[in-house]
Amino acid sequence: MPRPLRAATTSSRSSPRSMSRQARATRSPVSQASGVVPSWGIAMAGVHQLWAYDPEGGTVGVAAGTTNEGLVDGPGAEAWFAQPSGLAATADRLWLADSETSALRWVDLDGAVHTAVGTGLFDFGHRDGAAEQALFQHPLGVTALPDGSVAVSDTYNHALRRYDPATGEVTTLATDLREPSDAVLVGDDIVVVESARHRLTRLRLPEEAVRVESVAHRTQRAATEVTPGALKLDVIFQAPAGQKLDVRYGPSTRLLVSSTPPELLLGGEGAGTDLSRALELNPAVMEGVLHVSAMAASCDDDPAGGTSRSKTGGEYPACHVHQQDWGVPVRLTEGGADRLPLVLAGMDD
């Protein structure tokens, strides 16, 4: 069996919400018997993927995730994440805090993705007990503990939680922490990053957990009634004032569409560069969710019409990436809308 490897994350002065959009890295578990060189796992929150860095080959590539936002387990190439953030490696798995699904998940040595705690984008709260009904709220960090369990920095519950894979139970280790975003072991103590207090707090790992009252929430976007058959999807993007789409090196927009269940879409799924797309909805599937991910890159414009320059006087313009993911519940109804507008930036005229 491989030995546990120490984890590391990138530093940030950002808020916990913006921190979850940044990449975090940790060394992944590998089989020493196979002779494979250890790689580093990288949590790519903004594109909902896990990447891997091979220090021997000097290469970086996608290890898991489709860029669709959601909670789907299975082989790495088919799994969905939602802003994966904190990582922690043990001998046989890579733990990760999947922030937007308020979930604790893990990757096994074969690259398959599993969920320990969490059910999806719309369920969150503070509930201890059996993992299948336990709840977190936007956790950003996870820390492997010596007994094989993991501590979860449960950011928006202002708590430090614990999941024990041996019992399948979730407990609360500490409360009254202000937006904890990560933690690290130091001897018999655990040092917690309290982001909203701008401080490190050192705690003794308790022998018994703290009892808290259960709180659960579910949010759900109302279903949009659309007509069966042809549906026009329009992602609205207008570059902010003083910026323009930069097409010098090819298209600067990207659109990815899929659905749950997959049978909902008869046509129009997949990736492309046009922010408008004709979809074909299956009249035999009365309701489902359209998953839409859009990206557009804009750069500072030169009002004189010449070569763009940055506002700081550099040779190249400052460029900005605009990205948004939507999960749009739809209900197929005769007489429903035949156009679905989603605003990335600007106004829908």
Side-chain angles (χ1 to χ4, degrees):
M1 291 292 291
R3 55 188 173 89
L5 297 170
R6 185 169 298 175
T9 60
T10 57
S11 61
S12 172
R13 295 184 180 179
S14 306
S15 68
R17 176 69 70 172
S18 63
M19 269 183 66
S20 70
R21 285 287 186 183
Q22 299 180 12
R24 291 185 173 195
T26 190
R27 207 168 184 183
S28 301
V30 295
S31 172
Q32 291 179 344
S34 69
V36 177
V37 175
S39 63
W40 285 81
I42 305 168
M44 298 292 290
V47 293
H48 315 301
Q49 289 181 317
L50 294 180
W51 287 17
Y53 166 63
D54 177 3
E56 183 177 74
T59 59
V60 177
V62 176
T66 64
T67 74
N68 286 334
E69 183 180 34
L71 193 153
V72 176
D73 290 336
E78 301 173 9
W80 292 20
F81 300 101
Q83 293 187 21
S85 298
L87 302 173
T90 62
D92 59 353
R93 62 186 65 182
L94 178 66
W95 293 98
L96 66 109
D98 205 23
S99 300
E100 280 295 284
T101 55
S102 296
L104 173 65
R105 306 179 72 184
W106 55 280
V107 184
D108 64 27
L109 292 175
D110 294 323
V113 179
H114 309 262
T115 298
V117 181
T119 57
L121 288 166
F122 307 114
D123 295 289
F124 60 94
H126 192 151
R127 180 191 288 158
D128 288 336
E132 57 266 19
Q133 57 85 53
L135 294 172
F136 299 128
Q137 185 174 185
H138 202 87
L140 285 178
V142 60
T143 307
L145 300 179
D147 64 353
S149 64
V150 291
V152 177
S153 296
D154 196 1
T155 306
Y156 287 170
N157 280 329
H158 310 290
L160 186 67
R161 313 283 296 283
R162 174 178 176 266
Y163 169 69
D164 186 353
T167 63
E169 293 286 316
V170 175
T171 54
T172 298
L173 297 177
T175 57
D176 195 31
L177 301 168
R178 288 296 174 261
E179 297 187 2
S181 59
D182 215 341
V184 63
L185 288 175
V186 179
D188 293 330
D189 297 340
I190 188 166
V191 177
V192 181
V193 179
E194 287 195 79
S195 297
R197 281 184 173 142
H198 306 286
R199 75 181 189 188
L200 299 175
T201 299
R202 188 165 185 149
L203 304 172
R204 175 70 63 173
L205 282 173
E207 295 182 1
E208 296 183 359
V210 178
R211 296 186 63 86
V212 298
E213 294 296 325
S214 296
V215 178
H217 304 278
R218 166 164 285 198
T219 61
Q220 179 69 56
R221 175 173 176 164
T224 299
E225 294 190 348
V226 296
T227 185
L231 176 69
K232 179 67 177 304
L233 171 65
D234 285 323
V235 174
I236 312 303
F237 178 76
Q238 299 169 353
Q243 299 177 25
K244 66 176 182 180
L245 289 173
D246 188 352
V247 296
R248 291 175 297 170
Y249 307 107
S252 57
T253 56
R254 184 174 185 268
L255 179 64
L256 179 67
V257 180
S258 63
S259 67
T260 302
E263 296 78 17
L264 175 63
L265 275 175
L266 293 177
E269 71 279 2
T273 58
D274 194 340
L275 293 182
S276 293
R277 187 177 300 181
L279 306 181
E280 184 72 20
L281 302 183
N282 187 350
V285 180
M286 299 307 298
E287 60 183 18
V289 178
L290 291 175
H291 304 281
V292 181
S293 178
M295 183 275 290
S298 61
C299 297
D300 292 343
D301 196 8
D302 180 3
T307 303
S308 297
R309 290 180 176 271
S310 71
K311 294 178 180 179
T312 57
E315 181 179 354
Y316 300 103
C319 294
H320 317 266
V321 175
H322 312 261
Q323 180 171 326
Q324 181 68 46
D325 304 292
W326 295 270
V328 184
V330 294
R331 182 179 298 114
L332 275 60
T333 307
E334 293 295 340
D338 60 3
R339 177 177 177 265
L340 178 63
L342 300 174
V343 177
L344 179 60
M347 299 289 290
D348 179 21
D349 299 329

